[in-house]
Amino acid sequence: MVVVLGAIMSILDVTVVNVALKHLAQDFDAPLATIQWVATGYTLALATVIPVTGWASSRFGTKRLYMISIALFVAGSALAGMAWDDKSLIAFRVLQGLGGGMIMPAGMTILTQAAGPQRVGQVMSIVGIPMLLGPILGPILGGWLVDDVSWRWIFYINVPIGAVALVMAARILKKDAPRSGERLDVLGLLFLSPGLAALIYGLATGAEKQDFSRPNVLVATVAGALLVIAFVVHALRKGNTSPLIDLRLFRRRSVAAASGTMVLFACAFFGAMLVLPLYYQSVLGKSAFASGLLLAPQGLGAMLTMPVGGKLTDRIGAGKVVLVGLAVVVAGVAGFAAQIAPDPSFWGLGAALFVMGMGMGMTMMPTMSAAMATLQHDEVPRASTGLNIIQQVAGSVGTAFIAVLLATQLKDRGLGSGGGMSEGPPPGAPKPPPEVMAAIMQKMADAFQTTYWWSLVLLAFAFLPALMLPRKKQAAASSDTTADAPPVMMH
């Protein structure tokens, strides 16, 4: 529960804030491009701080780091709620991101080390619930707070949750001994943190503008990719005995297979999550609040199967569970894509989303569990950090890919670049005749449908690495996997 509270705050915060961006632009009388940095600044701070989490967990102790990250996040939330202009809000969001970036990897480390290899599937499925529900509940909560309360409460709401999480963490989490001699890989940090920030900025900005040829987008993306490659070379160098992230762990079959599955699944999943609300709002004319409600069946499906998937992962092995989960996700995505139209059955779409959610509950966290279950106690912090980085980058790549693909499909159908597709006609513009509007809506629906089919293709490729995941129950104890073994045995 301590870890879930922290995860709920950090994950919900992203989608809740996205709903409020237009309101913030009006309130501060600032351009939307400037206010967009309220979201972008948080994401970049997240990407910058995640790489250092593994080292900080070992150096200061995971419990202490987790409490520091929650305290930073809560402080940033309280200050953001009191922001007096757009610049102060962006600065406080960066502070929020510095705390939020460490919450998930530190929380996963706590769970994995406490559970041991035989129960890692069950505990990982618990923290997976907010990961899947965040994109669904965020628009509902954000829409209600912005419309009926105040935009400031999208930040203030984190304060009581964070306070409870801090008290519970202090009382419940076991103390862990920090390793004072843990050396920080400064060169690796100088490569990876700015590299990830630049790469994610380039991908996010290119997707937002639907143009990756812009100089600022191109320079950021290429520079970020080169810095990440430089980090990989540095981390794998023979003389480097304490890299920021131990990439040698990814030579293990289970870790490599889980990472490959996660990359393809995250690309398709986050891309599909971008398409879903846009389809409801642009083609079907629903508000952000109504779109969030219509996405609820997906969360319900995930909540139903996630605990079952966790138990089955510990009992029969992650490989079998993930393959079934992927098959169910593919069936759900195909069912949804086949129904995309200007006037679909909401019951039919809801049923497809429910099936999709059931598959997600048996895919995402069992995949993560497959990687974590084979790790030694001291390897968990850096591996957790690495897996979180993979998920962040894969999500950014998937979102950018689907956004550009959708824009291309709209442009091919004579609907411009798609940049203003959800904004409606300009104020004062004459309303097109019904038959013209019907034709436009049909073209838009076709563009969304084609984009969704491509998302399905990307998802299907995840079966290839998933076939390499372990399909047997994790051994009860061994000198290299037991979470409770003393450090001397680990080496």
Side-chain angles (χ1 to χ4, degrees):
M1 284 303 300
V2 173
V3 173
V4 166
L5 279 174
I8 284 173
M9 285 195 310
S10 61
I11 295 169
L12 267 182
D13 193 75
V14 177
T15 49
V16 167
V17 170
N18 285 342
V19 173
L21 290 179
K22 286 186 180 180
H23 294 266
L24 292 170
Q26 293 169 1
D27 202 52
F28 289 128
D29 193 23
L32 195 57
T34 301
I35 290 296
Q36 187 66 39
W37 276 94
V38 172
T40 306
Y42 178 86
T43 305
L44 295 186
L46 220 70
T48 303
V49 78
I50 286 176
V52 80
T53 309
W55 168 81
S57 293
S58 300
R59 176 63 180 80
F60 302 108
T62 311
K63 175 180 178 176
R64 190 182 301 175
L65 179 69
Y66 188 71
M67 293 181 68
I68 290 170
S69 63
I70 289 179
L72 275 176
F73 186 86
V74 170
S77 298
L79 290 169
M82 294 185 285
W84 52 90
D85 59 17
D86 53 341
K87 295 180 182 61
S88 62
L89 180 58
I90 292 167
F92 296 143
R93 282 286 286 165
V94 170
L95 178 62
Q96 248 191 316
L98 293 176
M102 295 186 287
I103 289 176
M104 279 304 295
M108 284 170 54
T109 299
I110 290 169
L111 285 180
T112 305
Q113 291 181 335
Q118 284 200 305
R119 293 185 301 160
V120 70
Q122 292 181 56
V123 294
M124 292 293 277
S125 67
I126 295 170
V127 78
I129 292 175
M131 291 179 71
L132 292 180
L133 291 184
I136 298 166
L137 296 180
I140 299 175
L141 180 62
W144 172 66
L145 288 173
V146 169
D147 292 340
D148 298 334
V149 188
S150 165
W151 66 261
R152 295 184 184 274
W153 274 95
I154 64 177
F155 301 113
Y156 286 149
I157 197 171
N158 291 323
V159 177
I161 299 173
V164 172
L166 277 173
V167 172
M168 288 177 67
R171 292 174 62 91
I172 295 171
L173 296 183
K174 294 181 180 179
K175 289 184 179 179
D176 50 350
R179 301 209 304 253
S180 57
E182 189 73 13
R183 186 177 65 86
L184 176 62
D185 180 10
V186 177
L187 185 57
L189 183 63
L190 292 175
F191 282 142
L192 190 56
S193 283
L196 282 176
L199 181 60
I200 291 175
Y201 169 78
L203 291 170
T205 308
E208 179 196 339
K209 305 296 183 184
Q210 291 148 8
D211 182 6
F212 284 88
S213 61
R214 295 186 175 208
N216 63 323
V217 173
L218 196 60
V219 169
T221 306
V222 172
L226 289 175
L227 283 170
V228 171
I229 292 170
F231 170 76
V232 171
V233 173
H234 164 73
L236 293 176
R237 193 165 44 85
K238 283 186 178 181
N240 192 349
T241 56
S242 184
L244 195 64
I245 298 170
D246 191 356
L247 297 180
R248 295 176 183 88
L249 295 175
F250 292 88
R251 292 175 180 171
R252 299 181 189 177
R253 176 174 165 171
S254 59
V255 179
S259 302
T261 306
M262 194 186 309
V263 165
L264 293 167
F265 181 80
C267 282
F269 171 66
F270 287 111
M273 289 307 296
L274 170 77
V275 171
L276 276 171
L278 280 178
Y279 167 63
Y280 279 127
Q281 293 173 44
S282 304
V283 180
L284 305 184
K286 301 297 179 182
S287 65
F289 179 76
S291 298
L293 288 175
L294 290 167
L295 292 174
Q298 183 174 291
L300 294 174
M303 286 182 68
L304 183 68
T305 58
M306 193 166 279
V308 178
K311 289 183 179 180
L312 288 175
T313 297
D314 294 333
R315 208 172 278 177
I316 64 174
K320 295 174 183 176
V321 178
V322 172
L323 287 173
V324 172
L326 280 174
V328 175
V329 172
V330 166
V333 172
F336 189 91
Q339 297 180 72
I340 291 179
D343 55 347
S345 163
F346 287 106
W347 286 103
L349 292 179
L353 285 174
F354 183 76
V355 172
M356 199 189 307
M358 290 177 67
M360 287 174 185
M362 294 188 291
T363 303
M364 197 164 186
M365 299 317 290
T367 300
M368 195 84 79
S369 302
M372 304 297 279
T374 59
L375 297 173
Q376 302 171 13
H377 185 273
D378 293 343
E379 293 171 339
V380 170
R382 282 181 166 83
S384 174
T385 299
L387 291 170
N388 273 273
I389 288 173
I390 287 172
Q391 190 175 311
Q392 285 282 339
V393 174
S396 298
V397 170
T399 300
F401 172 71
I402 296 297
V404 171
L405 184 59
L406 178 59
T408 303
Q409 293 298 320
L410 290 166
K411 191 174 183 180
D412 289 347
R413 288 166 174 79
L415 298 174
S417 66
M421 61 191 166
S422 62
E423 298 170 7
K431 191 176 181 181
E435 61 272 14
V436 175
M437 279 300 298
I440 292 173
M441 290 298 105
Q442 184 60 58
K443 287 182 178 179
M444 288 182 70
D446 291 343
F448 275 91
Q449 188 174 52
T450 302
T451 303
Y452 224 74
W453 286 126
W454 276 107
S455 179
L456 181 66
V457 170
L458 189 62
L459 190 62
F461 276 108
F463 279 100
L464 297 177
L467 289 169
M468 299 176 64
L469 291 171
R471 300 187 204 178
K472 293 181 180 179
K473 177 181 177 181
Q474 180 63 33
S478 66
S479 61
D480 63 343
T481 59
T482 303
D484 298 322
V488 68
M489 292 181 68
M490 297 302 159
H491 302 290

